[in-house]
Amino acid sequence: MVKKLKMNNGKWKMENYSNNFTNSNDLKNFKTSFTLIEAIFVIVILSFVLIGGFQILSKLYVRNYIAKQTSKFEFISQQTLDQVSQIIYNRIPLSVIGYNQQTGEFQYIGNIIQNNKYPILEWIGYLNDAMVDDNLSGFVDLYESNKPVIKALDFNSGFINEILKNKYDTAQNLKDLTSIIFAGSFDRGSENILNDYNNSFGWHGNRADLVYRISDYSQSGNNCFLTLKNYDNTDITHASIYEKFYLADSAYAIALKKDLDQNKWKCNDLNWSDLQDDDLLLFYNYRPWKGESFCADDGTGNVTVLTSNVKAFKVKKINYHLMMKIEMFKSRGDINISVSKQKVIF
């Protein structure tokens, strides 16, 4: 209620006047204008809130993704190095080489300066699976050995054949799958290897002059008499016999798919098209002393994937040890995640 002056009979008079605008068009227009302004303010404020919230959520997502992927790479890289180190640990030290499939060249790991020139790692392993109890000691009784026959102490041929059967799912025995490589003076393999390295182990079509074939064997109690021959079927009259030997059963290779030639892929375990360039592969169950190479090199044997997202895998020799380095990498948009780890193998 408001007061308002009004002329009545020539006189001004103050009267009460109702201020009820409930049905007023002006009020309707006023309310409509106020609601529109209010909506504009709300939209502007919400826009700022949404933009700020999106940026915060986006940054949280990126940080969470990086942390999660980095943690995953940390675990996988360590696990891969541990797995590989366990396999390489049971190696014949002087047998480790770097190989270039494109050129066909290989080099003893101790002579390699540029790892990129020989991206594929290969080595010969011995049958450590049988070295339990008195089944395979790896020692020779030199006094009771007479070339070409050596007396292998604590050598259980039956147990060894069973191990080979289970490991390679085959009916072949130790005469078919294993060979003798003498340890030499320092357990590295005979030092004569360094005189003609190319023709020592049979790598990639070369001779295997210091790997001896078991042509026959005869069990005698806990010991076994092994008859040895060269792989060119000549006798071992001039061979140097040492007290310790390695029973070699397989060669191994580690390579990234990007360093392999598709035209030489002969692996039945995996299809070439199912693999990525950054997959790190392990090849096994082939024997260079018999003229074999791994199945991705026009050869034979088996293959398995060690891990993926590997940018680089390198190994170099330091004194009598090997140092491995693996670098894992993943890119997603403008986010790059990289993890590197090293491990020494004694």
Side-chain angles (χ1 to χ4, degrees):
M1 189 72 67
V2 297
K3 300 290 185 176
K4 187 176 181 179
L5 287 173
K6 185 177 181 181
M7 178 70 71
N8 187 9
N9 296 324
K11 296 181 179 181
W12 291 98
K13 186 179 180 180
M14 185 71 70
E15 294 182 355
N16 293 327
Y17 182 79
S18 175
N19 191 21
N20 185 3
F21 294 104
T22 304
N23 296 321
S24 172
N25 290 331
D26 292 339
L27 181 59
K28 289 181 179 179
N29 293 335
F30 175 77
K31 283 188 174 183
T32 302
S33 301
F34 179 79
T35 303
L36 179 60
I37 293 172
E38 182 181 48
I40 293 174
F41 273 110
V42 170
I43 291 171
V44 172
I45 293 171
L46 286 177
S47 297
F48 282 113
V49 171
L50 289 174
I51 292 172
F54 175 79
Q55 291 178 343
I56 293 173
L57 290 175
S58 177
K59 289 181 179 179
L60 288 174
Y61 171 79
V62 170
R63 290 180 62 183
N64 179 69
Y65 174 76
I66 293 175
K68 185 177 180 180
Q69 194 63 54
T70 301
S71 178
K72 180 180 178 181
F73 277 176
E74 289 281 352
F75 173 76
I76 293 176
S77 60
Q78 186 63 57
Q79 183 184 54
T80 301
L81 290 180
D82 290 343
Q83 290 176 334
V84 173
S85 65
Q86 289 179 8
I87 301 173
I88 300 184
Y89 180 81
N90 299 304
R91 71 192 182 280
I92 298 167
L94 283 176
S95 71
V96 185
I97 64 169
Y99 173 55
N100 188 322
Q101 191 183 56
Q102 305 300 323
T103 64
E105 297 177 347
F106 66 90
Q107 188 75 262
Y108 169 54
I109 192 71
N111 297 333
I112 294 177
I113 299 176
Q114 295 181 345
N115 288 6
N116 294 334
K117 188 176 180 181
Y118 302 96
I120 301 173
L121 179 73
E122 289 189 88
W123 71 95
I124 295 175
Y126 57 84
L127 192 64
N128 70 297
D129 311 65
M131 300 183 74
V132 294
D133 298 328
D134 297 328
N135 294 297
L136 177 59
S137 68
F139 287 97
V140 175
D141 186 339
L142 294 178
Y143 294 101
E144 295 191 28
S145 297
N146 187 18
K147 293 186 292 187
V149 179
I150 64 171
K151 182 180 180 180
L153 301 174
D154 293 327
F155 189 104
N156 187 338
S157 57
F159 182 83
I160 292 171
N161 284 332
E162 189 66 23
I163 290 292
L164 293 170
K165 176 183 177 181
N166 295 331
K167 185 175 182 178
Y168 298 112
D169 190 23
T170 179
Q172 293 180 308
N173 60 29
L174 63 89
K175 290 197 299 182
D176 306 303
L177 299 177
T178 66
S179 289
I180 298 294
I181 299 176
F182 289 102
S185 303
F186 302 101
D187 291 348
R188 303 170 62 210
S190 174
E191 281 66 29
N192 293 332
I193 292 171
L194 298 177
N195 295 331
D196 186 7
Y197 193 87
N198 288 353
N199 294 309
S200 294
F201 298 111
W203 289 120
H204 303 291
N206 289 275
R207 299 195 312 272
D209 292 346
L210 294 178
V211 183
Y212 303 104
R213 179 169 64 91
I214 301 174
S215 62
D216 198 7
Y217 62 92
S218 176
Q219 192 71 38
S220 176
N222 291 336
N223 307 316
C224 191
F225 290 92
L226 308 177
T227 302
L228 305 182
K229 278 192 175 183
N230 292 315
Y231 268 88
D232 60 3
N233 286 324
T234 59
D235 60 49
I236 64 167
T237 306
H238 301 292
S240 298
I241 304 298
Y242 292 85
E243 185 180 24
K244 183 178 179 180
F245 69 90
Y246 297 108
L247 187 65
D249 68 315
S250 175
Y252 297 84
I254 293 180
L256 284 166
K257 182 196 172 185
K258 66 181 181 179
D259 295 321
L260 299 171
D261 185 350
Q262 181 179 357
N263 296 322
K264 295 184 177 181
W265 184 268
K266 306 295 182 184
C267 301
N268 297 321
D269 299 328
L270 297 171
N271 294 322
W272 176 270
S273 58
D274 294 336
L275 299 171
Q276 303 298 320
D277 284 346
D278 59 4
D279 284 339
L280 187 65
L281 307 172
L282 172 68
F283 302 90
Y284 61 98
N285 194 16
Y286 68 100
R287 295 155 188 87
W289 54 85
K290 296 175 66 174
E292 299 174 355
S293 188
F294 56 95
C295 62
D297 192 42
D298 275 332
T300 186
N302 304 97
V303 60
T304 187
V305 178
L306 287 171
T307 189
S308 302
N309 300 118
V310 179
K311 183 177 181 180
F313 179 81
K314 297 181 180 180
V315 178
K316 66 178 181 179
K317 180 176 175 291
I318 301 177
N319 297 324
Y320 293 105
H321 314 309
L322 298 177
M323 186 179 75
M324 293 188 302
K325 179 180 179 180
I326 187 171
E327 181 179 351
M328 304 192 72
F329 178 83
K330 189 172 185 178
S331 177
R332 183 173 180 177
D334 58 350
I335 304 173
N336 297 320
I337 302 172
S338 179
V339 170
S340 297
K341 281 201 174 180
Q342 298 183 13
K343 187 178 181 71
V344 175
I345 307 170
F346 296 96

